[in-house]
Amino acid sequence: MTIRVRINGVDQELDVDPEMPLLWALRDVLGLTGTKYGCGQALCGSCTVHLDGQVVRACVTPTRRAADRSVTTIEGLSKDGSHPLQKAWVDLGVPQCGFCQAGQIMSAAALLAEKPKPTNAEIEQSLAGNLCRCGTYTRIRAAVKKAAGLPEEG
């Protein structure tokens, strides 16, 4: 079955099983490997993408749900890493292993689109579904605040 979907601003026709998880369509069919497989059960957030601007876990989202809709992956956030979140991540040296970071950034981008000046509590609530095995949560929150133009904590 052919599924039409706009991925990172480009119209695509995916000839895949409609029940195939969106994660595998992105990674295996389209070669967009920034979205990571972590748990396969929507528990860790490594596979976070935007579906029409809303956060979804691509590992449990059937590709059919993306039909005639828009998907944004970490590769589509900016072509050159110039998104304020990506810049803040680099400036503050957020990643350790880096495995969860694309999902963290995608969740943070959805938060900032909805709440451009979030509180610490809103940041923590929004990112609560994204696990970081390295424990960089303090740096993640600082990077979200920097991207939002909020003052650093002291």
Side-chain angles (χ1 to χ4, degrees):
M1 173 178 189
T2 299
I3 299 171
R4 290 186 177 93
V5 60
R6 179 171 281 251
I7 299 176
N8 298 331
V10 177
D11 291 329
Q12 302 277 354
E13 289 190 1
L14 301 173
D15 187 19
V16 299
D17 181 330
E19 297 306 312
M20 172 188 274
L22 181 58
L23 174 64
W24 301 125
L26 294 170
R27 289 182 59 84
D28 294 348
V29 176
L30 297 173
L32 298 171
T33 57
T35 305
K36 304 297 184 208
Y37 174 81
C39 67
Q41 298 177 25
L43 301 171
C44 72
S46 293
C47 66
T48 301
V49 298
H50 298 172
L51 183 60
D52 288 339
Q54 300 299 307
V55 168
V56 298
R57 304 297 193 234
C59 72
V60 296
T61 302
T63 301
R64 67 176 160 70
R65 277 199 50 215
D68 300 317
R69 298 175 76 185
S70 180
V71 173
T72 304
T73 69
I74 189 70
E75 292 93 344
L77 205 53
S78 75
K79 293 182 188 223
D80 59 0
S82 64
H83 187 280
L85 283 164
Q86 292 169 313
K87 289 168 66 174
W89 245 250
V90 171
D91 291 348
L92 298 179
V94 173
Q96 276 185 223
C97 82
F99 195 82
C100 72
Q101 299 305 309
Q104 300 276 2
I105 290 171
M106 294 306 290
S107 289
L111 169 66
L112 293 181
E114 184 179 319
K115 296 182 182 215
K117 302 291 183 193
T119 65
N120 284 343
E122 289 168 334
I123 293 168
E124 289 168 12
Q125 180 181 6
S126 178
L127 298 178
N130 292 78
L131 303 179
C132 176
R133 294 176 80 179
C134 300
T136 65
Y137 298 110
T138 303
R139 292 194 310 245
I140 290 167
R141 185 179 64 227
V144 173
K145 290 180 80 167
K146 180 174 182 155
L150 296 169
E152 293 183 33
E153 296 171 5

